[in-house]
Amino acid sequence: MTSTASSPDTRGGQAAEEQQPPWQRRLRRFGHAARPRADVGARLVPPYTEPSPRLWMTLGLSRTAAGQVVRWSGWVGPLLITLVAGVTRFWNLGSPKAVIFDETYYAKDAWALVHRGFEVNWPEKINDDVLRQGGSIAIPHDAAYVVHPPVGKYVIGLGEWLFGFDPFGWRFMTAVLGTLSVLMLCRIGRRLFRSTFLGCLAGALLAVDGLHFVMSRTALLDQVLMFFVLAAFGCFLIDRDRARARLAAALPADPDSADGIVRPDAHVAETTRLGWRPWRWAAGLCLGLAFGTKWNGLYVMVFLCLMTVFWDVGARRVAGAARPYRAVLRRDVLPAFVSTVPVALCTYVVSWLGWILSPTDGSGGYYRNWAATAGKGGNWTWLPDWLRSLWHYEHAVYEFHVGLSSPHTYQSNPWSWIVDGRPVSYFYESPLPGKDGCPADTTEKCAREVLALGTPMLWWVAAFALVYVLWRWVFRRDWRAGAILCGVLAGYLPWFFYQERTIFYFYAVVFVPFLCLAVAMLIGAMLGPPGSSERRRTVGAAASGVVVLLILWNFIYFWPIYTGTAIPIDSWRSRMWLDTWV
C-alpha cells in the first residue's frame, strides 16, 4: 500500500522536471533552482519584508506601535546613517589646507567656469597664491585646453561660489554629494532587496568605505560622476516598480480567488502600454549629467539602458506574454530610447552653454572660434558655428584620451582594483615633533597622508560577494544580482579596454555603491532565508556581525590616513599592509 501511494508522486516530480528547459536541467548540478511560481501580482510587485512578530514581543511593542515603527523605519534608518556619514565627511573638511593631487586642476577650473564660463590657463606655481589670496586672486583671460566636460567642475564651483575659493569651498559639494549618495543607497538597497535592514546596511557600508570617504573630501570629478550614476540607477529602479505595478493592475483577477489575486494574461501582457514614465526621463537627465562630468558616463548609459529594457522583458514574461521580446520591441524600446538617450545628449550639450555663449573673437573658450577660422569650408558649413567648433573640440579630446600613456607613480591596472592593489596618495607630509599635529613626545618625525584606499576588509569581502552575486544571477536567475553586476560592470569593465592608457584606482569609486549592495546581499544570505531555524539564524547573525564589525574597525583603524591626521611614522608604517600602498 505504501509503495503504491508513493509512486504517483515520484512520477509526477519526474514529469515536472522533464518539462523544464534543458539548460535548467543541466544547471541543477551547480545549484540552479527554478523560480517558485507565486501569485503573479506578488511576483510583479513583491511586498516589503517585515521583522518577525517575536521582535516586537521582545521589545514590548503593541501591534499598532510596531506598525508605526515599520512605517517610519524606511526613512528614519537611512537618515540616521546619512547623518553619521555627513558628520564624518564634513568634519575638518578644510584640512589639509592645501591643493591636493588633481585639485590643482579642478578647483581652479571650477572657479574660472563660474566667473568666465570657460576654463583658463593658470600660472604653474600659483597654488600658494590661491591658498593665500582666495577669491581675491586675479583670474587669467587665456582659454585653457581641458579634456573633461564641465558639469563636475560646475558642481565644485557651486561650493566655491557659496563658501569661497579655499579648500573648504572647493570640497564642499563633493562632501554634499558623498553624503547624499549614502542616503540614496539606503533607499535603493531597501527597494532592491525589499528590506529596510539590508538597505540601511548597504548605505552604512558605503559610509565607512575609505575610497568613497576620501573622494567625498576631495575636489575631483569621479565622486560627482558616481553620484549621478547612482541617481540614474535609482531612477530606473523606481521606474521598474511603477511600470510593473501598472502592468499588474491591468491583469484580470483570478475568478477562483476571493483575495483579488490576478492571473497571467498573454493579450494584456503583450499589448498594455505602460504610459508616461517620468522616472526614465529623470534617469536620462542624470545620465546626461554623468556623461557631462566624465566621458566614461557614456558606457554607464549603455549598460543601464540595456538593463532597463531587459527588466521590461522580464515584467511582460511574468505577466504572461508568450513573446515578451517582441512585445517589448513593439511597445517599450522606442519610448525607452526617447526618454533616455536624447535627453542625456541634450543635457550634455546644454552643459557647455557657458562655452557656447563665450566670445568668438578669440577671447572666448578654447576652440570656440575654430569654425570661423581654421574650420572654414567643408561639407558641414550648414551647421551652426558653435556646433562645429564643439564637435572639433570633442574630437581633439577623444584623441587625447585614447593616446594618454604618460607614466605615473600611482597608475594601476584595473585587475588590481578589486583587491586595493595600488591606492593613490593625494597628500603626504612629514612634520617634525610638535608641529602640524605631530605629538611633541614623538621620537621620530610623523606622517600626514591622505590615501585614496578602499576599506580593505570591505573590498576583500566584496571580492567574494561578487562571486556569490554572479552565482545568484546565473543559477538562481535573481534579477537583483543581475542589477548589481550591471552596475559594477558599467563602471569597471570599460577600463579593461584601455589598459595601455594611464589610469588610476580612484576611478573605481563609480562602482563602489554596487560593491556595497553585493556585500549586503551576501550578508542577507548569511543571515538565512525566511523560515530558517533559530539556530541557523543565530549562527548567521553572529557571522554577519563579525564581518560588519571587522569592516567598521578597519575604517576606524585607517581613519588617520584618510583624513591627513599626523601620526608617528611607526604607526603609519603599520598601516601600510601591502608594499604597493607606499
Side-chain angles (χ1 to χ4, degrees):
M1 292 292 292
T2 303
S3 174
T4 304
S6 61
S7 57
D9 292 336
T10 303
R11 292 194 299 270
Q14 292 174 345
E17 181 177 341
E18 290 173 358
Q19 291 175 1
Q20 294 179 353
W23 66 269
Q24 289 191 9
R25 295 200 301 271
R26 287 195 295 269
L27 291 180
R28 282 175 60 86
R29 70 188 68 177
F30 299 105
H32 175 272
R35 185 186 298 272
R37 298 297 174 183
D39 167 37
V40 173
R43 291 176 61 197
L44 286 172
V45 188
Y48 285 84
T49 58
E50 295 185 4
S52 169
R54 183 182 302 176
L55 174 62
W56 310 129
M57 295 175 59
T58 304
L59 297 176
L61 295 178
S62 65
R63 180 176 300 179
T64 302
Q68 292 177 344
V69 169
V70 171
R71 190 179 308 112
W72 287 100
S73 63
W75 277 106
V76 172
L79 287 173
L80 288 176
I81 292 170
T82 304
L83 177 63
V84 174
V87 169
T88 57
R89 278 152 179 76
F90 280 96
W91 176 84
N92 206 14
L93 181 61
S95 177
K97 189 175 181 181
V99 181
I100 64 175
F101 201 62
D102 279 355
E103 284 184 345
T104 189
Y105 304 114
Y106 305 128
K108 291 180 290 189
D109 285 347
W111 185 252
L113 268 176
V114 298
H115 286 85
R116 297 226 188 280
F118 56 90
E119 298 88 340
V120 299
N121 274 316
W122 295 83
E124 282 190 22
K125 298 182 179 180
I126 201 173
N127 288 345
D128 290 339
D129 293 336
V130 168
L131 293 171
R132 185 170 53 254
Q133 300 178 38
S136 62
I137 196 168
I139 303 175
H141 291 275
D142 294 339
Y145 172 64
V146 295
V147 295
H148 290 301
V151 169
K153 287 166 281 189
Y154 275 121
V155 171
I156 294 171
L158 177 60
E160 295 173 334
W161 179 69
L162 291 172
F163 298 101
F165 193 30
D166 56 31
F168 181 86
W170 61 63
R171 295 170 192 161
F172 177 80
M173 284 305 299
T174 53
V176 168
L177 298 188
T179 303
L180 291 178
S181 65
V182 172
L183 176 61
M184 283 199 304
L185 191 65
C186 288
R187 295 290 298 176
I188 286 171
R190 180 178 183 270
R191 185 177 291 272
L192 185 71
F193 299 124
R194 287 302 197 261
S195 167
T196 299
F197 170 75
L198 290 182
C200 289
L201 175 62
L205 292 174
L206 186 63
V208 298
D209 174 63
L211 180 60
H212 184 274
F213 177 79
V214 170
M215 296 297 286
S216 298
R217 295 168 56 88
T218 312
L220 269 64
L221 302 181
D222 300 85
Q223 184 77 348
V224 182
L225 173 63
M226 178 279 306
F227 176 83
F228 289 129
V229 168
L230 184 61
F233 181 84
C235 290
F236 278 133
L237 196 60
I238 296 174
D239 170 75
R240 179 185 188 275
D241 278 357
R242 295 198 171 190
R244 292 169 76 93
R246 190 175 293 117
L247 194 57
L251 291 173
D254 190 338
D256 297 329
S257 173
D259 300 327
I261 295 177
V262 298
R263 59 179 178 82
D265 186 284
H267 177 73
V268 171
E270 293 179 0
T271 60
T272 299
R273 295 187 180 275
L274 298 178
W276 174 252
R277 300 174 70 168
W279 285 102
R280 268 189 172 165
W281 293 83
L285 175 63
C286 293
L287 289 171
L289 293 172
F291 183 28
T293 300
K294 291 189 77 172
W295 275 8
N296 47 318
L298 184 60
Y299 291 104
V300 176
M301 181 169 68
V302 173
F303 274 84
L304 296 191
C305 288
L306 288 176
M307 177 189 70
T308 189
V309 169
F310 283 115
W311 281 353
D312 284 346
V313 171
R316 292 190 182 275
R317 178 186 290 118
V318 170
R323 295 183 176 88
Y325 284 96
R326 189 176 70 173
V328 167
L329 187 62
R330 295 177 61 184
R331 304 290 183 186
D332 302 321
V333 168
L334 182 60
F337 176 84
V338 171
S339 60
T340 52
V341 177
V343 173
L345 294 179
C346 288
T347 302
Y348 179 82
V349 173
V350 170
S351 72
W352 285 88
L353 193 60
W355 180 90
I356 292 170
L357 297 178
S358 66
T360 59
D361 58 1
S363 63
Y366 198 86
Y367 278 142
R368 180 61 186 88
N369 63 339
W370 177 85
T373 55
K376 286 184 176 180
N379 298 324
W380 301 97
T381 53
W382 56 275
L383 291 173
D385 282 359
W386 67 265
L387 184 57
R388 292 197 297 125
S389 296
L390 180 60
W391 181 261
H392 178 74
Y393 195 167
E394 303 288 79
H395 181 263
V397 170
Y398 173 78
E399 290 185 334
F400 169 85
H401 282 303
V402 172
L404 181 61
S405 58
S406 302
H408 193 283
T409 304
Y410 290 106
Q411 71 182 60
S412 59
N413 190 290
W415 286 107
S416 69
W417 292 358
I418 206 68
V419 291
D420 281 345
R422 183 56 171 163
V424 181
S425 181
Y426 289 170
F427 172 83
Y428 185 88
E429 283 185 350
S430 300
L432 296 174
K435 294 185 177 180
D436 295 330
C438 183
D441 58 351
T442 302
T443 57
E444 295 184 82
K445 62 183 179 181
C446 287
R448 287 187 69 199
E449 184 173 31
V450 176
L451 186 67
L453 169 72
T455 303
M457 288 302 302
L458 174 59
W459 283 67
W460 296 342
V461 171
F464 292 99
L466 288 177
V467 175
Y468 167 73
V469 168
L470 178 62
W471 173 84
R472 185 83 191 178
W473 178 59
V474 173
F475 297 112
R476 295 299 175 91
R477 311 307 298 165
D478 192 327
W479 74 271
R480 302 168 302 173
I484 294 171
L485 286 173
C486 183
V488 173
L489 292 176
Y492 192 17
L493 184 63
W495 294 111
F496 288 93
F497 300 109
Y498 299 97
Q499 295 190 54
E500 72 286 352
R501 184 187 183 276
T502 305
I503 54 180
F504 300 94
Y505 163 72
F506 64 82
Y507 296 170
V509 74
V510 175
F511 60 85
V512 165
F514 300 97
L515 294 182
C516 295
L517 288 172
V519 174
M521 191 171 188
L522 175 63
I523 290 177
M526 292 170 61
L527 288 171
S532 299
S533 65
E534 185 173 347
R535 182 176 180 179
R536 169 69 178 83
R537 286 284 193 177
T538 302
V539 173
S544 302
V546 169
V547 171
V548 173
L549 289 176
L550 282 174
I551 292 171
L552 177 60
W553 162 81
N554 211 204
F555 176 73
I556 296 172
Y557 179 71
F558 284 102
W559 173 271
I561 63 173
Y562 292 147
T563 57
T565 302
I567 55 176
I569 192 68
D570 286 339
S571 297
W572 175 83
R573 290 193 188 104
S574 68
R575 288 166 171 80
M576 297 297 105
W577 288 0
L578 301 178
D579 292 340
T580 55
W581 292 3
V582 180

